[in-house]
Amino acid sequence: MADETKPRSRTMRVLHGLWWLVDTGRRALLNLLLLAVIAAVAWTLLHRGPPPLADKTVLVVNPQGPVREQFSGSLRENALQKARGSELEQTRLRDLLTALDAGATDARITSALLVLDDFAGAGLPTLREVAAAVDRFRASGKKVVAWGSNYDQRQYYLAAHADEVWLHPMGGVEISGYGGRRTYFKDALEQLGVTAHVVRAGRFKNAAETLAASGPSPETEEADRELYDGLWADYTAAVEHARRLPAGSLAQAIAELPERLAAAGGDPAKLAAREGLIDAMKTRDQLRAALIARGERDGESFRQIGFADYAARFTPPAAGPAVAVVVAEGPIVDGEAGPGTVGGLSTAALVRRARDDDSVRAIVLRVNSPGGSAFGSELIRRELELARSAGKPVVVSMGDVAASGGFWISTSADEIVADPATITGSIGVIAVLPTAERALERLGLNTEGYRTSWAVDAYDPRTPLDPRMEQVLQSTIGHVYGQFLDRVAAARKTTPERIDEIGQGRVWSGAQARVRGLVDRSGGLRDALAVAAARAKLAPGYRVKYMEKAPGRAERLMAWFGGLGVSALQPALDAALPPPLPAPLAELKQQTAWLLQASEGRRPAAMAHCECAAP
């Protein structure tokens, strides 16, 4: 029996070995083929260019959501949004400007169409940047048409700069003015047993007023009145000039709105036509037909290209002398932060990268921030100071808001360029310490324990605020305010006493700030770039290099494939999203976001923050 099974066993081993070789070879071959396919797809995606652009193409400028200096959220979050089948609900300012300026000199682009229904707005300085680009496009001899189903105040600012403004027959133009009500939470917090203790330096520093008061202070009313009246005069003058309307006609129309609307039969579109705000009423299909007649048909519509796709065709050169742009947009925090928030460490690192880059000859800091952490602001300011010491000019370009900490980081600039409507200033410091001892009492909760000194729990939100802690914090806030005054005084070549007179936490428009010596000149980002290039003695043709944090491998892969397959997770994603908060609670969360960030370590922090936003 043993002799009969041996040969059979050897045969089986040979056959098994042969099968292993065949199977391994098959797998290796399939893997190689798969890798070859992936490599081919990757090469195609990386090297394929955009389809050729035909003549008589209309540039469609249809911004989605708010216009920002940079996309907020990570590449991964944006890819997830696309995977859900929705558009990215934000627009980058530089893409709008690139598309309009490139289209002005592109013979294949014959006109532009502004479709503003999905535009969620921006501050007046940003609106002015886009409107100026529209004007440059028109100056090239090309027509611009604006169309909307309904124009709000910000949308209409852009539409007014078009050659023709068209409106849906059932639409209207809603222009009302600036300002509005704030919600004050003191009484509600007291009912919950919570007290917001506010320590501040600056009579006008009202960043926490809504938490600690039942209504606006006289200082807040005074500052708001002067600020908003100035911005409103700026807005109305610009629109009346663009539409060739008599000065004061917008304010008069608003004052007599009930009577004028009644005379128009209650028809808002007819009223807009009577007031000279629009040129024609057209439905969407009539819009398409009119543009087909003026240009070329492409399928069921006119030949067109979206501004984002068009802007993507233009990539800045990778070599040559450059002016670096570092964007500081959003509240300022101490450490690392992604787009939409200014991290003291991460933004300082971007400035340092620009300083160490031999191709960068000058730096423009684009500020659109209400401030935040004084320490985070100082980290950024110091890096800018080092860049200047290294021989690289630094120019600050102020966007919609550059207040408090946003002004602090601007004090290391050789020159500050601000739009006349930029909200700036707010030179002051604040700290907020909420305590909820009465809430605990109502619940029957007591707190006690041994401490080697009163300072162990000098600030504990479960107990009343120790007066000694309040005194310590007031001294600290006063010291930080003194540093703030010294920094601004040195930058503006004046005395701390003079800065204290115009500081005190008060906000100013860019025009008001220039009169008071807080900024050097009026203008936008293009002006700041030109100033930086001139200071660096750069010839025309220099490149603009945005310094931004490089995405990680996972983010790049997610963005590359556009979130493929992620849509399968839609039910789980939807289930994870919290329901929307009631309006007052949502407002409280928004207004105290900076406070929550500052208090994560359970320590009071000096905040150079302004409760202000672009109107």
Side-chain angles (χ1 to χ4, degrees):
M1 291 291 293
D3 293 336
E4 292 179 0
T5 57
K6 270 185 179 180
R8 197 176 305 166
S9 176
R10 289 195 196 97
T11 302
M12 291 300 295
R13 284 199 298 272
V14 170
L15 291 175
H16 179 75
L18 289 173
W19 176 252
W20 179 85
L21 287 173
V22 171
D23 185 55
T24 301
R26 176 183 63 83
R27 292 184 182 184
L29 180 61
L30 289 175
N31 286 339
L32 287 173
L33 288 173
L34 179 60
L35 288 173
V37 170
I38 292 175
V41 171
W43 189 92
T44 301
L45 289 173
L46 289 173
H47 292 85
R48 68 178 180 182
L53 192 65
D55 291 336
K56 295 185 178 180
T57 297
V58 177
L59 177 63
V60 178
V61 180
N62 55 338
Q64 306 290 311
V67 174
R68 305 184 184 278
E69 299 293 336
Q70 59 185 188
F71 292 129
S72 61
S74 66
L75 286 176
R76 177 179 176 275
E77 292 168 342
N78 295 336
L80 286 172
Q81 186 169 334
K82 289 182 179 179
R84 292 176 169 182
S86 60
E87 292 291 330
L88 188 61
E89 294 181 354
Q90 51 184 306
T91 297
R92 200 165 56 175
L93 175 61
R94 76 186 80 153
D95 296 333
L96 282 172
L97 303 183
T98 296
L100 285 164
D101 286 334
T105 59
D106 190 338
R108 299 165 298 179
I109 300 292
T110 55
S111 63
L113 170 65
L114 305 181
V115 181
L116 301 169
D117 280 8
D118 296 321
F119 171 45
L124 188 51
T126 298
L127 294 177
R128 201 191 317 271
E129 295 262 15
V130 180
V134 172
D135 290 342
R136 292 193 296 271
F137 187 95
R138 292 177 59 196
S140 70
K142 300 179 181 183
K143 297 294 185 181
V144 177
V145 171
W147 181 89
S149 57
N150 197 72
Y151 292 111
D152 66 19
Q153 185 165 296
R154 294 171 174 177
Q155 292 168 348
Y156 187 74
Y157 186 94
L158 296 184
H161 286 261
D163 293 282
E164 297 176 83
V165 181
W166 297 349
L167 174 69
H168 192 282
M170 291 190 66
V173 178
E174 301 172 4
I175 300 176
S176 55
Y178 285 140
R181 298 175 181 270
R182 296 185 180 94
T183 302
Y184 288 82
F185 298 95
K186 177 186 176 183
D187 296 341
L189 291 175
E190 286 185 346
Q191 291 185 35
L192 297 174
V194 176
T195 302
H197 304 271
V198 177
V199 181
R200 64 181 181 175
R203 293 186 303 112
F204 291 87
K205 194 69 177 177
N206 66 349
E209 188 174 78
T210 56
L211 301 175
S214 302
S217 64
E219 290 82 3
T220 293
E221 290 181 333
E222 176 188 339
D224 284 353
R225 184 183 306 108
E226 188 166 352
L227 175 67
Y228 289 136
D229 283 350
L231 296 180
W232 180 234
D234 193 332
Y235 178 95
T236 56
V239 169
E240 288 163 357
H241 175 76
R243 291 297 299 172
R244 297 181 177 84
L245 299 174
S249 59
L250 281 181
Q252 188 68 25
I254 294 172
E256 300 173 1
L257 177 61
E259 298 82 5
R260 295 192 184 194
L261 183 58
D267 186 340
K270 186 177 180 181
L271 174 63
R274 284 189 174 187
E275 299 297 333
L277 299 178
I278 66 171
D279 299 293
M281 287 178 269
K282 292 185 184 293
T283 59
R284 190 177 283 270
D285 60 287
Q286 291 171 334
L287 163 71
R288 284 195 296 268
L291 293 182
I292 289 172
R294 294 182 181 186
E296 292 287 340
R297 176 183 289 275
D298 185 1
E300 297 299 317
S301 190
F302 53 93
R303 184 174 292 163
Q304 59 188 274
I305 184 171
F307 80 92
D309 291 336
Y310 185 61
R313 293 169 175 255
F314 302 92
T315 56
V323 174
V325 177
V326 177
V327 175
E329 181 170 53
I332 301 173
V333 298
D334 286 346
E336 301 280 342
T341 303
V342 184
L345 287 176
S346 51
T347 303
L350 295 178
V351 177
R352 189 160 56 251
R353 268 178 51 198
R355 186 185 83 213
D356 294 338
D357 189 334
D358 292 336
S359 69
V360 171
R361 308 296 172 79
I363 299 172
V364 169
L365 181 71
R366 177 67 169 178
V367 183
N368 189 17
S369 171
S373 164
F375 179 69
S377 301
E378 175 60 17
L379 294 179
I380 300 167
R381 187 209 65 82
R382 174 59 178 166
E383 283 297 334
L384 292 167
E385 184 178 60
L386 292 175
R388 290 179 65 195
S389 298
K392 297 192 176 183
V394 174
V395 176
V396 164
S397 172
M398 292 183 167
D400 294 340
V401 180
S404 204
F407 197 89
W408 185 305
I409 64 178
S410 303
T411 56
S412 278
D414 291 288
E415 200 162 344
I416 296 177
V417 181
D419 185 273
T422 296
I423 297 176
T424 187
S426 191
I427 300 168
V429 188
I430 192 169
V432 184
L433 295 87
T435 60
E437 67 276 6
R438 288 177 293 119
L440 268 63
E441 289 175 4
R442 293 172 187 174
L443 295 173
L445 299 176
N446 300 307
T447 63
E448 193 50 77
Y450 175 76
R451 302 171 299 283
T452 58
S453 77
W454 70 272
V456 170
D457 59 352
Y459 171 58
D460 186 328
R462 299 171 298 176
T463 62
L465 181 63
D466 192 307
R468 292 168 293 185
M469 181 60 196
E470 186 171 6
Q471 182 180 353
V472 167
L473 192 56
Q474 186 68 65
S475 297
T476 303
I477 294 298
H479 173 67
V480 176
Y481 181 56
Q483 289 182 307
F484 203 165
L485 295 178
D486 290 340
R487 301 249 188 272
V488 178
R492 308 313 303 166
K493 297 179 176 57
T494 185
T495 64
E497 292 74 22
R498 168 59 182 158
I499 297 302
D500 188 34
E501 292 175 8
I502 57 178
Q504 293 290 327
R506 181 163 183 170
V507 294
W508 307 98
S509 70
Q512 294 164 348
R514 185 181 180 191
V515 170
R516 289 161 178 81
L518 294 178
V519 302
D520 297 293
R521 68 174 74 194
S522 297
L525 179 58
R526 282 168 58 96
D527 302 292
L529 289 169
V531 170
R535 284 182 169 271
K537 297 180 173 58
L538 290 178
Y542 63 87
R543 62 191 179 104
V544 177
K545 181 177 183 179
Y546 277 83
M547 309 300 296
E548 293 174 322
K549 182 180 178 181
R553 292 180 180 177
E555 288 184 317
R556 289 199 304 270
L557 187 63
M558 181 74 76
W560 186 23
F561 287 105
L564 291 176
V566 182
S567 56
L569 301 176
Q570 181 66 49
L573 291 171
D574 289 341
L577 294 175
L581 292 171
L585 293 181
E587 184 177 351
L588 176 62
K589 179 181 178 181
Q590 179 183 9
Q591 292 187 9
T592 57
W594 59 275
L595 172 62
L596 297 175
Q597 290 172 338
S599 60
E600 284 179 352
R602 296 289 299 278
R603 295 181 302 169
M607 302 295 293
H609 192 281
C610 172
E611 190 177 284
C612 49

